[in-house]
Amino acid sequence: MRTRTAFSAAAFALVGALTVSGCSSARDLAGGLLHDDGGESRPCPSDDAEPGSTTVTPSAPAMLDPAVAREVRAALRAVRKLPGVQTATESTTNTPSTVPDATCASRLVTTNHFRSTFEVDMEPSATPSQAGAVPTAMAGELAWTGVDLTLTVPAGPGHIASVVHYDATFDQTIPPETSTAVAQGLATLAATPHVTGLEATIPTTMRVDYGSLVIGVDRDDQSVLDAVHAVIDTTAFRATTLHGSFGNGAKP
């Protein structure tokens, strides 16, 4: 289960009852997102070879599949054109793993694991439909579960900041109705009295009730909790299972 940092001493979390891990799409497999370092093409050194007699040829730097790289750039351009977007950045990382070749213990095989992270900050005055347009636009350009999005609406008049993470959701269509409902729920909670922090996660399945919601509140009074719960029940997060506790260990 994902662990979230509470925003204040009094906090409770809504966490989906099921942990879901993303699956590689056909593009992941066919597009060469996981690359071998070329070790398979080199002969296995013989057992009686003299030490140092084998010449190791350095592998070329690993690169993201060109077709996927084009999709990532197109998604970033699309997001930057959207109304209400203040900044949008993207970074691609590679976390290689190396294991012995199953057919030749003296030879190592490296697999590259690429991941693209989008960081998007909206204008504080952005509407839920504008915030919801970001993941929908990205999904229209991408077909890869290796992309994550962190979407932030900064604090503004009458509301606190909110953050939502879309984790590996971009191998499918994201209807604007779905993403706007998520953004509307966060906007509603961000303007709710006594709420001091707000962060949500949408999982690979796009099932909001399988995701998580962490809310900080400024007091552990039951009437405050009841009021916040009543607001949650009007949002897209109403079916999410409640977990968590206050700093003193009491269950909300």
Side-chain angles (χ1 to χ4, degrees), residues 4-242:
R4 290 290 182 199
T5 301
F7 290 91
S8 64
F12 60 89
L14 292 172
V15 183
L18 178 64
T19 300
V20 182
S21 59
C23 299
S24 296
S25 65
R27 173 70 59 81
D28 291 353
L29 301 177
L33 298 181
L34 303 181
H35 300 278
D36 188 275
D37 71 346
E40 292 291 347
S41 64
R42 295 195 296 270
C44 184
S46 61
D47 293 337
D48 57 355
E50 295 182 4
S53 62
T54 300
T55 300
V56 178
T57 303
S59 300
M63 301 292 290
L64 183 64
D65 180 90
V68 177
R70 286 192 295 271
E71 290 182 356
V72 170
R73 292 192 296 269
L76 184 60
R77 287 193 299 269
V79 169
R80 286 175 170 170
K81 293 178 181 178
L82 293 173
V85 172
Q86 183 169 261
T87 62
T89 61
E90 182 276 332
S91 60
T92 299
T93 58
N94 177 28
T95 308
S97 60
T98 302
V99 297
D101 189 333
T103 62
C104 176
S106 61
R107 182 173 59 207
L108 298 178
V109 175
T110 298
T111 302
N112 297 294
H113 307 271
F114 289 95
R115 196 146 203 92
S116 176
T117 301
F118 282 66
E119 300 274 351
V120 178
D121 288 346
M122 304 298 295
E123 298 284 352
S125 59
T127 65
S129 61
Q130 289 174 334
V134 172
T136 295
M138 289 176 58
E141 301 289 347
L142 297 163
W144 181 30
T145 58
V147 178
D148 298 323
L149 164 67
T150 296
L151 178 62
T152 301
V153 177
H159 68 86
I160 65 168
S162 65
V163 180
V164 59
H165 306 277
Y166 283 81
D167 288 352
T169 59
F170 297 102
D171 65 337
Q172 61 194 299
T173 299
I174 299 179
E177 297 82 7
T178 301
S179 56
T180 299
V182 169
Q184 180 63 66
L186 291 172
T188 299
L189 289 165
T192 299
H194 303 293
V195 173
T196 59
L198 190 57
E199 185 172 8
T201 298
I202 309 301
T204 305
T205 59
M206 280 300 300
R207 287 282 301 271
V208 177
D209 53 338
Y210 284 4
S212 66
L213 177 67
V214 177
I215 303 178
V217 292
D218 60 6
R219 65 184 69 174
D220 57 1
D221 183 270
Q222 188 60 47
S223 63
V224 171
L225 283 179
D226 291 343
V228 174
H229 276 286
V231 175
I232 293 171
D233 287 342
T234 68
T235 73
F237 300 98
R238 58 186 171 273
T240 309
T241 305
L242 178 63

